[in-house]
Amino acid sequence: MEQAFLQRLSGETQRLVREIEEFAAMEIELRAAPAPSSQAVDAARSVALIASETGATLLYRGEEEFQTPAVLHELLHLRRYWIDFVPQLVPVADLQGDKTKIANQIENTLEHLIITPQEAHYGVDPYASLSDTARQNWQAYPWSDITESWARRKMCLLSWLTTRLLVSDEDVKAFARECLQKEGLLEEAENFAGKIERSTSSKERCISTAVRFLRIPRAETEMIYLDVKRKQLVRKPVPEH
């Protein structure tokens, strides 16, 4: 990483940069972009990550926004993909369409269950913004713009997963349960979150559980691993659990 940008980060985050770069034997590249975006990250973020088996680039809107909290979040994703060698869920086809968007939603939800506590370990507090986002999400219920039953069910299950496992505000949780009760999905959402919580040590098992609960045809999905040392993309089927 360019020294001028590296110096903007906290000492612990700088050490994380060096850990990742030494493991991969390459530098993390940087690129200015008016509106950072990638297949895996919300375009609204001030810093975004593009990662593959051959390299990684951090996109940033402006140098003033290249700060520890935003950069750390993306670096923790990258460490998971490269060093921890965890898989990512992708569709077998429709790589630029709705199936990819859905896979990205699932992927981000599962990854943040691990990354959020790690951010706190590095001295960044992500929980306040998470609670605010969850509160806004549930207060928007009954989501009149989401009319398709499968999409509503997905929204309920994934939103509750984040709310139950990462949100500490009991009022937000209580209101979310009321919404799920109205939707007729409280018991199933609780069951889903419980199974994921018991499986967080295995990304493969979490992916399998999510695919099963969301009723996504297993044959339409696969897992990819970024083997940066060999510069290889590894593909595996989603296991059955």
Side-chain angles (χ1 to χ4, degrees), residues 13 25 88 98 218 236:
T13 307
Q88 299 173 66
D98 289 340
R218 198 172 299 273
K236 293 184 179 181

Side-chain angles (χ1 to χ4, degrees), residues 138-194:
W138 291 109
Q139 285 178 344
Y141 182 83
W143 310 314
S144 58
D145 57 324
I146 305 176
T147 57
E148 201 271 321
S149 60
W150 185 89
R152 293 183 65 83
R153 186 171 172 277
K154 172 178 66 71
M155 180 73 162
C156 285
L157 265 60
L158 292 181
S159 296
W160 176 243
L161 180 61
T162 297
T163 302
R164 173 174 154 174
L165 300 186
L166 295 179
V167 173
S168 58
D169 190 321
E170 292 301 326
D171 289 338
V172 174
K173 289 183 177 181
F175 185 72
R177 288 190 181 95
E178 291 178 13
C179 296
L180 290 168
Q181 188 71 55
K182 292 176 183 177
E183 199 72 12
L185 288 172
L186 178 57
E187 183 177 354
E188 189 169 11
E190 288 278 26
N191 191 22
F192 173 58

Side-chain angles (χ1 to χ4, degrees), residues 72-106:
L72 174 65
H73 183 91
E74 305 307 330
L75 291 174
L76 291 172
H77 275 297
L78 185 57
R79 182 171 68 180
R80 293 263 297 160
Y81 297 146
W82 278 2
I83 298 179
D84 297 341
F85 203 56
V86 299
Q88 299 173 66
L89 175 68
V90 298
V92 172
D94 186 44
L95 300 182
Q96 300 298 326
D98 289 340
K99 291 181 181 179
T100 291
K101 293 178 182 179
I102 291 168
N104 288 342
Q105 290 173 357
I106 297 169

Side-chain angles (χ1 to χ4, degrees), residues 177-237:
R177 288 190 181 95
E178 291 178 13
C179 296
L180 290 168
Q181 188 71 55
K182 292 176 183 177
E183 199 72 12
L185 288 172
L186 178 57
E187 183 177 354
E188 189 169 11
E190 288 278 26
N191 191 22
F192 173 58
K195 287 184 181 299
I196 292 292
E197 185 176 23
R198 294 189 293 273
S199 303
T200 51
S201 61
S202 170
K203 181 71 177 294
E204 290 85 354
R205 185 175 290 273
C206 285
I207 288 175
S208 176
T209 299
V211 166
R212 176 165 58 88
F213 266 83
L214 294 175
R215 300 171 185 168
I216 297 172
R218 198 172 299 273
E220 294 182 5
T221 65
E222 64 180 351
M223 301 184 305
I224 60 170
Y225 298 76
L226 306 181
D227 188 345
V228 69
K229 284 188 173 293
R230 296 180 176 84
K231 306 297 186 292
Q232 293 179 352
L233 181 67
V234 179
R235 300 180 182 275
K236 293 184 179 181

